[in-house]
Amino acid sequence: MSIYSGKLLELKEIKNEYNKYFLQVRLSFEQDIEMFWEVDKYTAENLKDLIQFDEKHKYRLSFNSSWDAIQKQHKSVLTRTYCDQSEIISFSCSEDYISKLNTIKRCQDIATLDKPIFIPIKLESNDELHKDKEKISKNYIGKFKMTSIAIMSVIFVILFGYLSRLYLNKTAFDEKALAQSIQLNNELTEKQSESLESENSITIEDLSSIEPAIPFIKLEESITYSVPEGSVALTFDDGPSQYSIGIMDVLKKYEVGGTFFFTGLNVKKYPDYVQCIQSNGYSIGSHSMNHINMPTLSYDKQKSELIDSIELLEEVTNQKITLFRPPYGSLNKQIKDLIYNQEYKIVLWNNDPEDWKTRDADKIFYSIQNSNVSGSIILLHESQAVIDTLPRIIEYLQELNLEIINLQ
């Protein structure tokens, strides 16, 4: 389980003080602490463009981030909540922000956070600082006036003698300093070269030995209903939606696999969510363009529902998409022929807790608990009820020593 499970990071305010930017945040982990987090201007201004602080809304910063390969920039998300409603908002951020976010994510003791970057509340206001400066000035200005004349006289005498001596030794000093500078520069260059050689010493064999973080099974059949015994595939339909990142957060927390089947209609609304899920290592497939019962359509419209949705996903993810789940699991010969000709894979299921019908976290869990889960592909839909029950489902499957996998 991840170290950062149980951590919450609430964004309270964005400040600009002394040409520096700070996020005022409340970190909840074992105890609550408010602090100022120094961030770069680029990230701060992107956040300011999205947020309007008031008494109604709260903002929670996610510990997850992604790389947008299309726009060539880092992305993270925040959740805006109002009463029982929530909205996930994506924003562009810097590599430095991601690095500091990861510092908080990995932190096991708040006291170890770097104080120049993470400053415990409360910072003094500008008025307080000005008052302190005036106080200090009044206390010391009298003493300064009394001693300044005497000190300046002494400095003048010393400076005159020093300049005369410096002039005589100037050439020798410059040559010596230059030689030292060249020697130091050469030493630094050699050390940097050694460091680069060390960093680049990873071979192709080393890279090939790195295990993927999330276990997966590559599907061989054109239509799949189940996975091998001892494994389970959690699948999520009808996204992307406001619940996508919440589902992904739970999967990441437990370090397990998941496969998302997205409709093209929603991909157009939330392309950032698709990229975020992809960049975090989860599998993505098509769930058609408009979630229509495809056997009722003409051949041309069936083809459009299939091909258009997959091409859209490939454009957003910049990777080949081969998985397809037909809406309602409905198929006919034409659809099967289309899939076969395009070399796609149809993913159906053998475990349906009917979460779309109940929208009840307890009923969803009990349905899965009372079923034969080993070797199953579990059908779920993106909803708050699924987010709420997903930790229980995963823990139950892990108690049975089942491997929760991605489908590929």
Side-chain angles (χ1 to χ4, degrees):
M1 188 178 296
S2 300
I3 291 170
Y4 65 91
S5 61
K7 284 193 183 125
L8 292 176
L9 192 61
E10 181 184 357
L11 179 59
K12 308 279 288 184
E13 194 175 358
I14 302 173
K15 289 180 173 289
N16 182 1
E17 301 282 349
Y18 314 112
N19 296 320
K20 292 185 177 182
Y21 289 83
F22 298 89
L23 305 183
Q24 183 177 337
V25 297
R26 179 192 295 272
L27 176 61
S28 299
F29 176 57
E30 297 177 346
Q31 61 179 349
D32 288 352
I33 181 173
E34 285 200 20
M35 60 186 180
F36 286 108
W37 168 11
E38 184 179 349
V39 298
D40 56 283
K41 180 179 179 182
Y42 173 75
T43 302
E45 292 190 342
N46 285 337
L47 282 168
K48 286 176 71 174
D49 290 340
L50 298 172
I51 293 176
Q52 183 175 357
F53 292 102
D54 54 37
E55 296 180 355
K56 298 179 180 179
H57 296 90
K58 289 188 176 182
Y59 298 90
R60 178 170 64 88
L61 294 169
S62 171
F63 285 106
N64 297 307
S65 60
S66 61
W67 171 252
D68 187 337
I70 296 175
Q71 298 181 11
K72 306 294 184 186
Q73 59 189 13
H74 291 280
K75 293 277 190 178
S76 190
V77 295
L78 60 86
T79 303
R80 176 166 54 198
T81 60
Y82 172 63
C83 295
D84 61 343
Q85 299 177 348
S86 64
E87 178 186 6
I88 297 174
I89 304 171
S90 174
F91 63 94
S92 299
C93 55
S94 69
E95 186 174 356
D96 182 67
Y97 172 85
I98 300 298
S99 175
K100 292 174 182 175
L101 185 69
N102 288 332
T103 298
I104 301 176
K105 181 196 297 187
R106 293 189 297 265
C107 172
Q108 298 185 60
D109 183 0
I110 292 174
T112 63
L113 290 175
D114 192 0
K115 293 300 186 293
I117 299 172
F118 305 100
I119 307 168
I121 296 295
K122 178 179 181 182
L123 286 179
E124 293 178 301
S125 67
N126 283 338
D127 291 340
E128 290 172 336
L129 290 173
H130 287 316
K131 288 178 182 178
D132 288 343
K133 288 178 182 177
E134 290 175 3
K135 185 176 181 180
I136 292 170
S137 178
K138 288 178 181 178
N139 288 340
Y140 288 95
I141 194 167
K143 294 180 181 179
F144 177 80
K145 285 180 179 179
M146 295 293 295
T147 58
S148 59
I149 296 174
I151 291 173
M152 289 300 295
S153 299
V154 174
I155 290 173
F156 177 78
V157 174
I158 294 171
L159 185 61
F160 179 80
Y162 173 76
L163 290 174
S164 300
R165 183 178 179 182
L166 180 64
Y167 177 79
L168 294 174
N169 296 310
K170 181 178 184 299
T171 303
F173 172 82
D174 287 347
E175 289 177 353
K176 182 178 180 181
L178 180 60
Q180 291 174 340
S181 176
I182 292 172
Q183 182 180 357
L184 179 60
N185 184 61
N186 289 338
E187 291 174 356
L188 288 173
T189 301
E190 289 175 3
K191 289 181 179 179
Q192 287 171 352
S193 298
E194 291 173 0
S195 177
L196 287 173
E197 287 175 4
S198 175
E199 289 175 3
N200 294 327
S201 62
I202 299 174
T203 64
I204 294 175
E205 289 77 8
D206 294 329
L207 291 173
S208 64
S209 66
I210 297 174
E211 295 288 335
I214 301 173
F216 69 92
I217 288 179
K218 189 169 182 62
L219 304 180
E220 301 296 339
E221 303 296 327
S222 58
I223 302 179
T224 300
Y225 295 87
S226 62
V227 292
E229 290 290 321
S231 57
V232 177
L234 296 172
T235 64
F236 307 93
D237 286 10
D238 297 351
S241 70
Q242 60 179 314
Y243 307 109
S244 301
I245 303 302
I247 292 171
M248 185 193 74
D249 283 344
V250 176
L251 297 176
K252 284 180 65 67
K253 174 182 175 181
Y254 287 92
E255 300 177 351
V256 299
T259 303
F260 294 77
F261 290 95
F262 294 143
T263 63
L265 187 66
N266 287 333
V267 171
K268 289 181 178 180
K269 295 179 183 177
Y270 306 107
D272 290 344
Y273 295 178
V274 179
Q275 293 170 343
C276 183
I277 287 168
Q278 176 214 12
S279 67
N280 279 278
Y282 297 100
S283 295
I284 291 172
S286 164
H287 197 36
S288 81
M289 198 69 192
N290 298 290
H291 204 278
I292 298 173
N293 190 357
M294 291 179 62
T296 65
L297 303 176
S298 66
Y299 176 80
D300 288 340
K301 288 185 177 179
Q302 286 179 351
K303 186 175 181 180
S304 177
E305 283 290 315
L306 173 65
I307 302 299
D308 291 353
S309 62
I310 286 184
E311 287 182 348
L312 177 61
L313 279 170
E314 289 179 340
E315 180 182 345
V316 171
T317 62
N318 197 31
Q319 72 176 24
K320 185 173 178 58
I321 302 296
T322 59
L323 303 183
F324 175 72
R325 172 171 284 170
Y328 315 107
S330 298
L331 292 169
N332 62 9
K333 186 177 184 304
Q334 287 181 332
I335 299 171
K336 292 178 182 178
D337 290 342
L338 270 171
I339 295 293
Y340 181 79
N341 293 335
Q342 297 292 330
E343 297 183 347
Y344 299 146
K345 307 292 183 183
I346 296 175
V347 181
L348 296 176
W349 59 89
N350 60 354
N351 193 319
D352 182 5
E354 296 188 332
D355 61 305
W356 56 272
K357 184 185 293 185
T358 65
R359 300 284 178 177
D360 185 302
D362 289 335
K363 289 181 179 179
I364 297 168
F365 172 72
Y366 293 137
S367 175
I368 292 173
Q369 187 182 43
N370 294 325
S371 66
N372 182 14
V373 288
S374 181
S376 66
I377 297 177
I378 299 176
L379 171 65
L380 296 166
H381 299 78
E382 296 196 11
S383 70
Q384 186 60 50
V386 166
I387 293 176
D388 294 340
T389 196
L390 193 54
R392 296 170 67 189
I393 293 171
I394 293 171
E395 289 172 6
Y396 171 69
L397 297 175
Q398 289 178 333
E399 286 173 5
L400 299 177
N401 294 319
L402 297 175
E403 189 173 44
I404 304 172
I405 59 171
N406 279 359
L407 299 176
Q408 291 186 1

